[in-house]
Amino acid sequence: MKHFSIIFFFLFAGTFVLEATQLKRTGWNLMAVCQDISRADINMTGIEEIQSQEGQSIYTGDFASYSNLETLHAGYGYWVKGEVGTVFNSGESLNRLEKPLNRDGWNLMASCENISSTDVNMTYLEEIQRQDGATIYTGDFSNYSNLNSLDFGYGYWIKGVQGTLFTSNRALSTLPPIDNNGTTGTPPTNEKVSISGKVTYDRIHVNSNHIGLDYNNITQENARQVVVEAIDINNSVVATTTTDDNGEYLLANLPNNQNIKIRVYAKMFKNATWDVKVIDNYNNGVLYVIEGNMETTGSNNSIRNLTASSSNKSSPPFAILDSVYTAMQKVYSVDSSVVFPALKMNWSVNNIESGTYYDGIDNIMLQGDQNGDSDEYDDHVVTHEWGHYYEDKFSRTDSIGGAHGAGDHLDIRVAFGEGFGNAMSAIVSDDPIYFDTFSYSGSSNGWYMNIESETKDNPGWFSEASIQRILYDLYDSDDDGEDQLSLGFSALHDVFIDAQKNTEAFTSIFSFITEFKLANPDESAMVDSMVSSENMATITDSYGSGRSNLVSETPLYTDLTVGEMVNVCTKNGYGSYNKLNNRKYIKFIVSNSARYTISVAQSNGTDSDPDFQVYKASPHTYMGSAKSPDIGVEETTLNLTTGSYLLDISDDNNIAAPCFNVTVNSVN
């Protein structure tokens, strides 16, 4: 039998009380549930964990707390972990219950009583096997073979058509535990076994001064929610599960006395929730794994623990993955319905000059230079890049990327994106100390900054440092100076996934704060005070109107009327490509759908190479661009429908101060 689902079905009549039973062994026990049992009716004392038949953890805690457990449902089996002798209180019974097979083919049923063949409705049941695979019934839906009774406390493989009822006409009296040691009834001669264990990875921590890694401070951390497989000698997958948040896993119903090894992937997968993997981009995108030895499963349940070691470089992929999991949990904590698009984390010791960045699609590249800049244990760096992924997938980012630093005068889109990435690293970790470690010639080096209280260097709306402080202060619980707000991540998340995503302006601190104040009107005065502390005038709209800082650089946006001309000038005084004033933004409105020619021509010489991109403002849509090598002029013709539009104009030659005549004209 292959590709089955573990489902338990019961039928009972009458009214009676199901008595409490005891776990028969320390560790995992497979319990059969013959009724819907509310969590209020279960004595959880001594129960460490409960998993569904699919291996999903539905209860964990300190022997008193509940997590996802609401009801244990009639007709199903559950893995229950605890000490031998622990009482599992099953509650009270229901009246007669019928459960049909839920799928065509094989279903795993559990008998809660001794059922003779005369008490079983065999109509449309094709075959019955014991847990060890021995056939005890075959026929043409009327003949019995070796079936005399279904014994109390055991499971049976039942093959039939979906919807077929497995019927018993007798009442039950006690709910027994069913475990892999065959502790009730007559033990099968060849049972299945399970392998459980714990997966950990080595994390090298930063020095106490936040400069470089401390190789004397290595701890083993739980490898949370990673994929675990049982692999046979043919390299075939026998069973698959995932670890829980404690790094523990359970692979049940494995064949006994078969050679199997445990393989753990640097991958997290939860259907319709997340799919994250760490791959070797220098080796054709191979997924990182660790493996145990090939050993026999034996005839009893066993424990196999695995650790990804820092000494052989097997731990970095799992450290990276765990940083991503922490970030996802921050979002999940405020939005339990969130679905994370697939993401690949690219890491290799050969990533020496790769840089660390998010590619804007579904890849994050991470440095891995073991004699230079390596980011696998720099959780703030990893989370910063994941923040770009979050902004891209759940909100919107218009950042053009490029080199940047805390004291730079940046394009407003870049400043916001990088400031948010830094803030997100502190929000996720609840630690404002951002560090980046290096290793040169055997010495451990690096740098760090305090996201919240670093000395202000060129503060303003163009500064990523100003933006990271504002965003983190909106979140954090520490009130200091102008920061008197502690609104948590939910307040930020709500703006990101809605108003910021749909803003008609380019994404910046102006669009975010405008929408944040609209969503939190009672906090507007406090927000204005925080903004003012960063040398910014009060933000009144998404376009940054009325800037009093760097008056020579305003306005940020220039309005253009179709059929007329405006003149704008770019500058390179703060650097090139993505610095303040390298680009000018034009707003215009199309009243009639038609073809339009957009022209940008230098008005003070012929030594520039103007380029531009065109975007529809709502919904924000890239419409096209003009980036030819032509000197002095650039133009293109596009089909434009009614609505608002944005132009992003730049000079590819990066000369000091070119000025441009800009027109948008309909084509007759």
Side-chain angles (χ1 to χ4, degrees):
M1 296 174 296
K2 296 181 179 179
H3 307 299
F4 47 78
S5 59
I6 307 177
I7 307 293
F8 300 85
F9 297 101
F10 313 88
L11 180 70
F12 51 90
T15 301
F16 46 84
V17 175
L18 292 174
E19 299 175 353
T21 56
Q22 294 181 346
L23 303 190
K24 296 300 183 181
R25 56 193 172 91
T26 297
W28 291 102
N29 295 253
L30 182 56
M31 310 293 291
V33 175
C34 298
Q35 69 203 41
D36 283 351
I37 307 173
S38 166
R39 70 182 189 182
D41 294 326
I42 305 174
N43 176 12
M44 301 301 296
T45 304
I47 302 297
E48 299 178 27
E49 185 172 352
I50 298 177
Q51 290 186 0
S52 67
Q53 62 267 29
E54 295 88 1
Q56 285 293 325
S57 181
I58 58 174
Y59 165 82
T60 57
D62 55 4
F63 307 150
S65 302
Y66 292 88
S67 54
N68 295 324
L69 176 61
E70 294 293 339
T71 303
L72 297 181
H73 293 290
Y76 294 93
Y78 296 88
W79 289 102
V80 179
K81 186 179 182 183
E83 297 293 324
V84 63
T86 295
V87 171
F88 182 77
N89 187 348
S90 58
E92 296 185 356
S93 71
L94 304 177
N95 292 327
R96 179 179 176 86
L97 174 70
E98 292 185 337
K99 285 285 184 177
L101 304 191
N102 79 324
R103 63 190 297 274
D104 291 341
W106 291 102
N107 296 254
L108 182 55
M109 322 278 286
S111 174
C112 294
E113 59 178 327
N114 291 329
I115 308 174
S116 71
S117 60
T118 58
D119 291 323
V120 181
N121 176 14
M122 302 300 295
T123 305
Y124 301 118
L125 296 183
E126 300 177 25
E127 185 173 347
I128 299 179
Q129 292 184 1
R130 291 199 310 252
Q131 287 185 354
D132 61 353
T135 297
I136 57 175
Y137 165 80
T138 58
D140 55 4
F141 309 141
S142 60
N143 296 327
Y144 293 89
S145 169
N146 296 321
L147 174 64
N148 294 315
S149 68
L150 299 180
D151 294 323
F152 172 77
Y154 290 95
Y156 296 88
W157 289 107
I158 311 294
K159 186 178 183 182
V161 178
Q162 182 175 351
T164 298
L165 290 176
F166 179 73
T167 305
S168 166
N169 297 317
R170 297 168 54 105
L172 309 179
S173 58
T174 304
L175 176 66
I178 304 172
D179 64 36
N180 289 326
N181 292 326
T183 56
T184 57
T186 303
T189 58
N190 188 22
E191 286 191 326
K192 300 284 186 178
V193 297
S194 66
I195 298 176
S196 60
K198 187 179 181 74
V199 182
T200 58
Y201 71 92
D202 288 349
R203 178 172 283 278
I204 305 176
H205 295 271
V206 70
N207 282 305
S208 58
N209 65 357
H210 313 299
I211 302 293
L213 294 175
D214 182 359
Y215 291 91
N216 293 316
N217 185 8
I218 301 175
T219 60
Q220 288 191 350
E221 305 293 333
N222 300 331
R224 300 178 293 173
Q225 302 297 325
V226 298
V227 175
V228 181
E229 290 182 346
I231 307 295
D232 67 14
I233 58 175
N234 297 315
N235 204 36
S236 297
V237 178
V238 179
T240 302
T241 189
T242 57
T243 60
D244 60 18
D245 280 3
N246 295 316
E248 297 179 344
Y249 73 92
L250 172 67
L251 291 162
N253 295 308
L254 299 175
N256 67 346
N257 298 315
Q258 178 172 325
N259 286 331
I260 278 177
K261 65 181 176 182
I262 303 303
R263 178 181 294 164
V264 182
Y265 294 85
K267 175 179 179 178
M268 297 182 294
F269 179 81
K270 185 176 181 180
N271 189 42
T273 305
W274 56 61
D275 181 1
V276 185
K277 62 184 70 173
V278 184
I279 61 174
D280 184 351
N281 56 284
Y282 259 81
N283 188 22
N284 299 314
V286 171
L287 186 61
Y288 286 101
V289 302
I290 58 172
E291 293 183 340
N293 296 326
M294 185 71 73
E295 301 175 11
T296 181
T297 55
S299 57
N300 296 308
N301 300 330
S302 58
I303 296 174
R304 301 189 193 182
N305 299 324
L306 293 89
T307 296
S309 173
S310 58
S311 62
N312 63 9
K313 305 302 179 187
S314 64
S315 64
F318 292 91
I320 293 166
L321 202 65
D322 204 54
S323 294
V324 172
Y325 180 66
T326 300
M328 292 195 302
Q329 288 302 104
K330 179 63 73 172
V331 179
Y332 194 79
S333 69
V334 301
D335 184 358
S336 61
S337 65
V338 66
V339 176
F340 297 93
L343 177 64
K344 297 186 288 291
M345 309 294 292
N346 296 257
W347 179 88
S348 169
V349 294
N350 296 307
N351 286 356
I352 296 173
E353 297 181 353
S354 66
T356 290
Y357 60 89
Y358 168 59
D359 73 351
I361 304 174
D362 61 358
N363 287 273
I364 290 177
M365 184 70 68
L366 296 170
Q367 286 272 125
D369 185 2
Q370 300 301 294
N371 191 34
D373 186 4
S374 188
D375 292 326
E376 58 266 24
Y377 299 116
D378 300 343
D379 54 356
H380 281 68
V381 174
V382 175
T383 308
H384 172 107
E385 298 305 330
W386 188 89
H388 292 319
Y389 155 88
Y390 165 88
E391 192 182 11
D392 177 43
K393 299 301 185 183
F394 296 99
S395 182
R396 193 180 102 214
T397 175
D398 298 332
S399 175
I400 58 175
H404 58 91
D408 288 345
H409 293 68
L410 295 170
D411 179 282
I412 58 172
R413 300 165 294 182
V414 178
F416 186 80
E418 299 306 329
F420 168 69
N422 290 339
M424 191 63 170
S425 71
I427 290 169
V428 165
S429 62
D430 284 308
D431 181 359
I433 305 300
Y434 183 113
F435 60 85
D436 189 2
T437 62
F438 322 126
S439 178
Y440 293 109
S441 301
S443 63
S444 187
N445 295 287
W447 66 273
Y448 76 94
M449 65 177 171
N450 190 313
I451 295 294
E452 184 174 33
S453 60
E454 197 73 16
T455 300
K456 296 179 181 180
D457 182 12
N458 294 325
W461 38 267
F462 44 77
S463 166
E464 66 177 82
S466 289
I467 290 162
Q468 72 194 29
R469 285 190 289 268
I470 291 172
L471 295 179
Y472 184 68
D473 282 344
L474 289 173
Y475 160 81
D476 77 334
S477 58
D478 294 329
D479 294 341
D480 55 88
E482 299 298 329
D483 171 21
Q484 300 297 313
L485 295 177
S486 303
L487 301 180
F489 183 62
S490 179
L492 280 74
H493 178 70
D494 289 346
V495 175
F496 271 112
I497 65 174
D498 188 4
Q500 178 79 338
K501 182 177 182 178
N502 297 305
T503 180
E504 292 194 5
F506 287 125
T507 55
S508 70
I509 191 63
F510 304 121
S511 59
F512 185 84
I513 291 299
T514 297
E515 300 299 344
F516 192 88
K517 290 197 297 182
L518 289 173
N520 301 274
D522 293 343
E523 315 298 345
S524 290
M526 285 291 186
V527 173
D528 289 341
S529 179
M530 292 169 59
V531 167
S532 177
S533 73
E534 294 295 337
N535 202 21
M536 300 183 207
T538 300
I539 294 174
T540 58
D541 65 26
S542 296
Y543 300 100
S545 301
R547 297 300 91 210
S548 60
N549 191 359
L550 296 177
V551 173
S552 62
E553 314 302 339
T554 60
L556 293 174
Y557 293 82
T558 299
D559 290 315
L560 167 67
T561 300
V562 172
E564 300 181 8
M565 183 188 72
V566 296
N567 186 265
V568 295
C569 303
T570 61
K571 297 180 182 179
N572 66 0
Y574 300 112
S576 61
Y577 179 66
N578 67 349
K579 302 305 186 290
L580 179 63
N581 227 31
N582 291 157
R583 294 164 182 269
K584 285 298 180 180
Y585 316 132
I586 304 290
K587 296 189 297 176
F588 66 95
I589 296 174
V590 170
S591 300
N592 299 297
S593 299
R595 288 178 60 78
Y596 290 84
T597 296
I598 303 171
S599 176
V600 177
Q602 187 176 0
S603 62
N604 62 344
T606 57
D607 50 351
S608 72
D609 177 11
D611 292 334
F612 62 85
Q613 294 84 44
V614 186
Y615 301 87
K616 191 164 189 180
S618 181
H620 186 82
T621 307
Y622 171 74
M623 301 300 296
S625 63
K627 297 183 177 182
S628 77
D630 294 343
I631 299 300
V633 64
E634 193 72 73
E635 69 176 31
T636 191
T637 299
L638 298 171
N639 291 317
L640 302 180
T641 57
T642 58
S644 298
Y645 288 83
L646 298 173
L647 279 178
D648 173 10
I649 298 172
S650 61
D651 170 28
D652 195 48
N653 283 349
N654 193 40
I655 65 174
C659 295
F660 305 100
N661 291 328
V662 183
T663 59
V664 178
N665 292 306
S666 62
V667 178
N668 295 326

